[in-house]
Amino acid sequence: MIILDTNILWDVTPDSSTADLLRALKAANIQVAVPWVVLEELASHRTLPYVEAHAKAASAINELRRHVPWSGGAPSLDQVNTERHRGHWRNMYQQMVEVIEPDVELLQTALFRESNILAPCKRVGGQKGDKTGSRDAAIWLTAVGYARDHEDEKVYFVSANTKDFGDGTDYPEPMKSDLAGIEDRFFHLTSLDDVVERFAAPAEIDSEFLPALLAREETIELLRDALSEYLPTFASRGDAALLNRGLSYTRLGDDEGAGEVGSAFAWLNPPSLTFEGISDVTAHRIGGHDWYMATVLLFASGFVMLTGPNFTPAANALEARVLVTQDKTGVRPSVLRCKRPRVLTTEEVSRVPTTWTNWQPDPDAPFPLNRLPRHASDKTGSLSQPESSIVLLTVMAGMAIDAFLSRKRAK
């Protein structure tokens, strides 16, 4: 088990190389965790600047209202929502690490140590200064407690806070006594570089291995499952599709509308994925296997749902940071992160498979959508009647919304 202190993750963002490493270790079944106290410190670190910025924005809007003589002349601002903000960041970090929950006795011991200024706690500001360090004590005791509760595991405690925790060579009391009996399987590291040296040594890159692997149909299918969040279909969104028109697309086809870009509700059915290329390739030896990380470009193509009884052949591009290995169990791809789907460039449109580009919509075709062109229905299947009914209701509502917005614009 690798247990991280707050300072190791202080400036980590979801798209950083550190985040990639942590996800890689997790994908390789190497446990990485943080004490609950660390998770809350990280969430507060992200939330407090939001609270301050919100207060400044509210003050600026109030000042603006003083100078606007008519009603509604200044923008409105939602109430500050700290719990939602904290929840967002908790979830973000928990995608990279596990969380070790403390028990009541551990927290009581941490507070006792602060009250009595027992290491790693201390007093700041001289003899009459404030006592501090209960959170440090809770972090330390969580790591030590985990080691005691899991006698068959080695524990690697990683902290750059050498001022309070030391560098692993010697400890003051009672920290020294905390380690009695577990010294041979409790290791104190002071940086993620030490973690990389132990668990993720650089490996030689085979330039042909990854492109060949990612071009396989079975690998594409695994990636499609992993990327389902970024390939929303109406079936997965249900009635909420109408309220989430945010799927960027480029229209395909041979008519005058080909190449237009827009925003759709969702894919009608799961789109086809095509591997287009890789960049920024690295390789590490983790858990006895070579793990490749690369930025992968994929094209998604199929039919997107538009407002009104309408759907159109379209495509978009996904750029995902992918972790891939291959062992006796087969290919194991994991998506570390992915950018929102984007529209295609003119040059990229020419590289989309032609499966979808030779279809022309029939303006007299009835709705619901159970009369797709043969090459589409054979590949994706048509909607069942219950789903078609939901689609029809949704589209009718979409038409009403479009009509309302058109009247508003006309005024």
Side-chain angles (χ1 to χ4, degrees), residues 85-144:
H85 205 268
R86 280 191 290 265
H88 168 85
W89 286 105
R90 289 188 190 112
N91 180 66
M92 191 279 287
Y93 287 112
Q94 285 177 285
Q95 292 175 18
M96 295 183 280
V97 295
E98 300 174 32
V99 179
I100 305 174
E101 299 287 342
D103 56 33
V104 174
E105 183 179 355
L106 185 151
L107 296 177
Q108 289 175 335
T109 302
L111 291 171
F112 174 84
R113 290 197 179 184
E114 181 182 85
S115 296
N116 292 275
I117 320 177
L118 300 173
C121 302
K122 60 188 177 183
R123 189 193 295 274
V124 293
Q127 290 299 314
K128 295 184 179 181
D130 295 329
K131 301 172 184 176
T132 186
S134 59
R135 284 174 294 168
D136 286 338
I139 293 167
W140 169 260
L141 291 169
T142 298
V144 171

Side-chain angles (χ1 to χ4, degrees), residues 31-65:
Q31 288 182 289
V32 184
V34 297
W36 171 84
V37 173
V38 167
L39 181 66
E40 292 305 312
E41 284 189 326
L42 292 169
S44 67
H45 173 59
R46 298 289 185 175
T47 301
L48 292 179
Y50 154 72
V51 174
E52 294 174 2
H54 190 282
K56 292 179 180 178
S59 176
I61 290 175
N62 288 335
E63 180 65 18
L64 177 61
R65 288 198 181 104

